Amino acid sequence: MKTLKIYSALATIAIITLSVFLYQNNTKLSNSEKKIKQNEKELQQKAKELTETEEILEQCSDRYYEEIGK
């Protein structure tokens, strides 16, 4: 009877430990997904800014060559 109680206690401890471990992993995964989405948004914003900068530089370059040609 004592061995059954010991095994029961060990099984309960193991279940609790595994539950805590799984909860921590799910929390970390959720946080990682949020960071990835945030990084994607930042990257899209920087790509947009780069495109705008390239367009402005092209316009400036065109104006410069027009002035030189005069």
Side-chain angles (χ1 to χ4, degrees):
M1 211 48 164
K2 285 184 179 181
T3 57
L4 184 60
K5 288 182 180 181
I6 292 173
Y7 286 133
S8 177
L10 290 176
T12 302
I13 291 170
I15 290 171
I16 291 171
T17 303
L18 289 173
S19 297
V20 169
F21 179 72
L22 287 174
Y23 175 76
Q24 288 175 343
N25 282 343
N26 286 338
T27 303
K28 287 178 185 177
L29 180 61
S30 177
N31 289 340
S32 295
E33 289 174 347
K34 288 177 185 177
K35 284 183 180 181
I36 288 172
K37 288 180 182 178
Q38 182 181 4
N39 287 343
E40 285 177 349
K41 288 179 183 178
E42 289 175 2
L43 187 58
Q44 289 173 349
Q45 180 65 29
K46 288 183 181 189
K48 181 181 175 185
E49 290 173 2
L50 178 61
T51 303
E52 291 172 355
T53 302
E54 288 174 342
E55 291 172 357
I56 291 170
L57 285 173
E58 187 175 332
Q59 291 172 2
C60 290
S61 175
D62 291 344
R63 288 185 202 150
Y64 173 76
Y65 287 116
E66 284 177 10
E67 288 296 320
I68 290 178
K70 287 183 180 180

